[in-house]
Amino acid sequence: QITFIPVCPEQAGGLATPRAAAERSGKLVITADGKDVTAQYEHGAAEALRLAVRYQCAYAVLKERSPSCGSKRIYDGTFTRTLRDGTGVTAALLTANGITVFDETETAKLLHTLRT
């Protein structure tokens, strides 16, 4: 049986929806208008991990390119829509804690993994 546990780390971190665009710049997450929202992203990532542990999740499906959920490519922090290799705050935390992260384009790969 597959059970999905929906969570938005940015909302869990206290950010509104909609919210200002943000990108990772080094270890920081900064909005287009220069506000440091790193603490909110870190708090949201910790909440996502807490839920994943509570529900014994082995896998996560996250939104690629996001400063929180990107698992392969994220925007580079210049707000020029330039992508770079890297991971978002939540993707990095989940991965560091043994949870396999898939991006939203990899659902077929996830289903194959679940069948084997």
Side-chain angles (χ1 to χ4, degrees):
Q1 176 180 343
I2 299 171
T3 302
F4 290 94
I5 311 297
V7 61
C8 173
E10 291 94 340
Q11 287 179 330
L15 297 171
T17 300
R19 62 190 149 272
E23 295 185 5
R24 279 193 96 175
S25 181
K27 292 193 180 268
L28 299 177
V29 181
I30 307 294
T31 64
D33 61 359
K35 182 179 178 188
D36 183 347
V37 290
T38 307
Q40 292 92 330
Y41 275 74
E42 289 173 346
H43 178 73
E47 283 298 304
L49 176 61
R50 183 184 67 77
L51 288 170
V53 168
R54 178 178 182 169
Y55 292 102
Q56 302 175 351
C57 297
Y59 307 102
V61 179
L62 303 176
K63 178 70 179 145
E64 194 58 27
R65 300 183 187 133
S66 159
S68 181
C69 296
S71 60
K72 294 170 191 61
R73 310 260 303 150
I74 58 174
Y75 292 108
D76 70 354
T78 63
F79 295 93
T80 60
R81 312 264 323 145
T82 303
L83 290 169
R84 67 171 174 87
D85 291 341
T87 57
V89 178
T90 299
L93 185 61
L94 294 178
T95 300
N97 282 274
I99 297 168
T100 303
V101 172
F102 293 88
D103 72 50
E104 77 277 10
T105 69
E106 298 178 306
T107 54
K109 183 177 175 181
L110 172 58
L111 291 173
H112 176 76
T113 299
L114 293 171
R115 288 185 192 120
T116 58

